[in-house]
Amino acid sequence: RGVWRPGDSLFVAFMLEDKNKVIPATHPVVMELYTPENQLFLRKVKTNSVNGLYDFRMKTDPESPTGNWLAKVKVGGSTFTKSIKIEAIKPNRLKINLDFGSEILRANNKTGELSVKWLHGATAKGLKADIEMTLVKGSTQFKGFDGYSFDDPSKEFESEEQNIFEGRLNQEGIATVYPKIKVKKSAPGMLKAQFKTRAFEAGGDFSIDSYVMKYSPFDGYVGVKI
């Protein structure tokens, strides 16, 4: 679910692509894990990989603080980071459904609907909820156009995170979501939107749900077939 409890094992992999063979095969790759207070918690060094894939196995303590931790990889003068969420999660007691009414979310999409119910069927009225969305690089394909390339190979896209909703459900356990999505950099084509929705009980515990769909930042596409 993209969330770990304090004390859980963390299996983090780093993939290195070095087409020009600039980095020696035994060059050290350093993995550092930082707490939400930006304190170094763990440091590991690897000098071997399997086809450029480095496996780092880490673990937090049961007393570790919750929040957004940071995994940082250093190799060849470059630094790569990844946010890791450590939360005191409990089994879901709420059923969460996020619906935008189509298979592809578009830039001009007007609204979506968030509905939440208790697992025993009762309406989850008035509860607080939030939605975090992460955009990652996807692939642009259309039926009937096999062999065409719709993605721009000259553009790269790094993942972007943003909050698209924070509010309360109505008396029917429903909220309207207005996804004002902003892409910081020009995308090479369609992206993949990963949604993490949380619904909070009155006591502070929350249930969590993940949902993935395509996101189109453009109104139209031109494909090339050589």
Side-chain angles (χ1 to χ4, degrees):
R1 298 191 293 178
V3 182
W4 291 263
R5 296 181 180 90
D8 279 356
S9 296
L10 300 171
F11 299 92
V12 181
F14 174 73
M15 183 174 287
L16 175 67
E17 185 179 43
D18 183 22
K19 291 182 179 180
N20 297 325
K21 306 297 182 182
V22 177
I23 300 174
T26 57
H27 188 83
V29 174
V30 181
M31 170 72 79
E32 295 177 343
L33 184 64
Y34 290 84
T35 68
E37 292 78 23
N38 202 31
Q39 295 178 338
L40 180 62
F41 178 80
L42 188 65
R43 186 177 188 269
K44 286 197 170 187
V45 180
K46 287 272 184 128
T47 56
N48 62 309
S49 67
V50 179
N51 297 325
L53 186 65
Y54 294 81
D55 175 34
F56 293 94
R57 304 188 179 195
M58 303 176 288
K59 186 178 182 181
T60 58
D61 296 329
E63 299 80 19
S64 292
T66 58
N68 291 328
W69 290 54
L70 185 69
K72 184 181 294 185
V73 173
K74 298 177 181 179
V75 55
S78 298
T79 301
F80 307 88
T81 60
K82 171 68 177 177
S83 176
I84 296 180
K85 297 183 181 297
I86 307 295
E87 302 284 356
I89 57 176
K90 297 181 179 181
N92 279 355
R93 301 205 299 177
L94 295 163
K95 182 180 180 181
I96 301 170
N97 183 58
L98 180 62
D99 184 17
F100 289 101
S102 63
E103 293 183 0
I104 299 176
L105 181 62
R106 301 187 181 277
N108 58 359
N109 197 87
K110 294 182 179 180
T111 61
E113 183 180 272
L114 171 64
S115 60
V116 181
K117 291 184 178 181
W118 294 95
L119 290 181
H120 51 68
T123 302
K125 59 182 180 180
L127 297 184
K128 179 185 174 183
D130 62 29
I131 303 175
E132 181 183 272
M133 183 195 68
T134 302
L135 291 175
V136 298
K137 184 178 179 181
S139 63
T140 310
Q141 298 175 342
F142 298 99
K143 291 181 180 179
F145 291 91
D146 296 336
Y148 283 82
S149 176
F150 293 92
D151 293 298
D152 187 343
S154 67
K155 297 177 181 177
E156 289 292 332
F157 186 83
E158 296 182 1
S159 63
E160 298 178 359
E161 294 183 1
Q162 52 189 291
N163 292 324
I164 64 169
F165 177 81
E166 185 173 352
R168 290 191 176 274
L169 308 170
N170 62 17
Q171 295 299 305
E172 287 74 40
I174 296 174
T176 302
V177 180
Y178 300 92
K180 297 180 180 179
I181 300 171
K182 297 179 180 179
V183 181
K184 297 177 182 178
K185 295 182 179 179
S186 182
M190 280 199 188
L191 304 174
K192 190 161 57 174
Q194 302 171 343
F195 298 95
K196 187 187 77 173
T197 305
R198 298 187 301 176
F200 295 83
E201 301 176 22
D205 293 337
F206 64 87
S207 296
I208 188 170
D209 180 75
S210 297
Y211 177 63
V212 179
M213 68 183 302
K214 289 184 177 181
Y215 171 70
S216 176
F218 307 110
D219 294 328
Y221 294 83
V222 175
V224 177
K225 184 177 182 180
I226 301 176

